[in-house]
Amino acid sequence: KQLLSGQFMSEGLRQQLQQAKYLTQLQYTPSGDEPPLPDKIGYYHHHHHHGARGKQLLSGQFMSEGLRQQLQQAKYLTQLQYTPSGDEPPLPDKIGYYHTLYPLEDLASADLGGVSAAWGVRSSVLKGISMRDGRPYLLRVVCGKQVIPSLEMLGVVRSAVDMWACLAGHPGLLVPLEGLVASELDGSPSLVVVHGYVPGAVTLAQAHLQPTQTASGQLVRNTPNEELLWSYTVQLAAILRAAHATGLALRSAALSATKVLLTPVGRLKVCGLGVAEALSGEVVPANSDDLLVLQREDVVAMGQLLLQLACAVGSLPSPSLDFASVHYSPEFVRLLVLLLGVADGGGFSWRAVSALLGERLMLEVDALAMVNEQLLEDLSHEMENGRLFRLAAKLSFVTDRPAEGPGGHHGSAAHAAYADSGDRYLLGLFRDFVFHQGELEQGRVLDWGHVLEALNKLDAGVSEQ
């Protein structure tokens, strides 16, 4: 079960949108020496106006169709349950506190010896629902037959959880949330590292490096263009800078194409944090020479990832700067040279990277601001719908109470007449007025505008009868 608070927006955002709605509906009433205003200027008056006076289109009361489908798909993926077929291995009912498990990678290939190129060991990635809060999480299970978990290893993961906690809210990081040892998957004790789950996200390798089949049967790669590569560069630079500024290192394995996720809206999230620390058996302390070495390795790994994506075309045997210099702008190639040159002891600073990004930073900020404004607009519509839903639910609790008592047993006479006396009777009449309008010639009338207007007036306590 999810907490009720998890079904609604935060109180601060609700108040912000409610204040915006109040200011939008504010009407001018002159007092004292204030001059009056005309009823309208051109097509604009003090009410919303589209078609009928003071009415909005029904579509203006809901979020955009594209966002609705995206959120609906995310909800579907969150609730998806696993039904093995053919040679697919079964999954246990739960791992630790997590149930409703669903594989996010091919379990059969993992069982056949699929070794992670980033870590050199087999691992499985599952989605699970927490028994504690009802939310979905990503479970990365390290094969216990290759890596036998120990108390020291579990302690390292928990130390990593504590270190990364300060960046738990960063939009580009899926920090480790929990470490545990479980044997439900294959019978052997295995290390499990828990991260946040992003519905619909795929790895950069799946998005751009692995070929996909077209309608004509051809295998092609979805090679990113330079504009998209610049967007990835800005996001990765922000992620690395945030981690390095807090005295942390991502580890180069977490920056491989199989460990960086691409969300359905084009945002990158680095996953797999905490696993490299567990496999190495140590957490590097801040302000140490070892940490500086790891941070420089992060920068090189970022350059290698961008170069790999830039060369994801044709049948190149390996990524090449020569290929990139032919197909991409000199500015992008200079950035790659700067990042990759750190491996040879070249100088590096995030100030230099920011100078090379230049205009691309402003383009990325503009794009994010536009998306944020559209999301707030859509959210403001749904805030109104959520408020009206709660009002309709309260109304139904009173007016639709059955004559039977709890458990289906017949109650007292007072209980049977619960919804047929006093204010409850008036609320029943109001419910019929709202939802059961009818006309003799046309039969039942389904008027959304009437429902919204009546519920809003009820919520505001309008004295109209």
Side-chain angles (χ1 to χ4, degrees), residues 162-456:
D162 294 337
M163 285 197 321
W164 285 102
C166 60
L167 289 175
H170 194 282
L173 291 170
L174 292 178
V175 302
L177 302 174
E178 183 183 9
L180 55 103
V181 175
S183 58
E184 291 93 340
L185 189 59
D186 59 2
S188 60
S190 301
L191 177 68
V192 181
V193 183
V194 181
H195 298 85
Y197 171 65
V198 183
V202 297
T203 66
L204 284 178
Q206 292 172 323
H208 298 299
L209 302 181
Q210 296 176 3
T212 57
Q213 192 170 15
T214 63
S216 60
Q218 292 180 328
L219 293 176
V220 297
R221 287 178 176 175
N222 181 25
T223 306
N225 55 33
E226 184 169 342
E227 181 182 358
L228 187 56
L229 286 174
W230 278 115
S231 177
Y232 290 170
T233 303
V234 172
Q235 295 180 61
L236 289 171
I239 293 169
L240 264 67
R241 185 184 179 281
H244 293 180
T246 53
L248 298 169
L250 276 69
R251 306 292 180 107
S252 56
L255 288 168
S256 65
T258 58
K259 301 298 178 286
V260 179
L261 300 182
L262 177 64
T263 70
V265 294
R267 311 311 299 171
L268 298 183
K269 291 182 178 290
V270 176
C271 190
L273 301 174
V275 179
E277 288 91 334
L279 296 178
S280 66
E282 62 175 350
V283 174
V284 177
N287 302 320
S288 65
D289 292 338
D290 290 340
L291 178 63
L292 294 178
V293 171
L294 290 175
Q295 290 180 344
R296 292 177 70 86
E297 290 177 356
D298 286 350
V299 175
V300 176
M302 173 182 165
Q304 291 173 339
L305 175 60
L306 291 172
L307 180 61
Q308 186 180 16
L309 295 174
C311 297
V313 62
S315 56
L316 285 175
S318 61
S320 167
L321 273 175
D322 294 334
F323 177 86
S325 62
V326 174
H327 292 84
Y328 296 94
S329 66
E331 293 83 2
F332 186 71
V333 175
R334 280 200 297 271
L335 176 68
L336 292 177
V337 170
L338 172 65
L339 298 175
L340 296 174
V342 175
D344 300 323
F348 174 81
S349 70
W350 288 115
R351 188 184 299 273
V353 174
S354 300
L356 283 175
L357 292 176
E359 183 181 358
R360 274 80 183 185
L361 282 171
M362 292 182 283
L363 293 175
E364 193 74 10
V365 170
D366 287 344
L368 289 176
M370 291 173 62
V371 170
N372 185 58
E373 288 189 2
Q374 182 59 50
L375 289 177
L376 280 176
E377 177 70 18
D378 288 328
L379 188 58
S380 66
H381 298 158
E382 294 305 311
M383 182 202 70
E384 291 299 305
N385 296 331
R387 179 177 58 82
L388 294 178
F389 163 75
R390 291 194 291 272
L391 189 64
K394 293 175 183 177
L395 185 64
S396 296
F397 282 142
V398 175
T399 60
D400 294 336
R401 182 169 178 172
E404 292 82 6
H409 302 292
H410 289 284
S412 62
H415 187 84
Y418 177 82
D420 295 323
S421 62
D423 292 339
R424 301 184 185 91
Y425 178 70
L426 293 178
L427 287 174
L429 294 178
F430 175 76
R431 175 203 57 193
D432 295 338
F433 168 74
V434 174
F435 297 108
H436 303 303
Q437 288 283 322
E439 295 181 5
L440 293 178
E441 297 82 4
Q442 300 178 359
R444 189 173 180 181
V445 176
L446 303 179
D447 187 350
W448 282 85
H450 167 72
V451 172
L452 294 173
E453 183 178 18
L455 289 177
N456 274 316

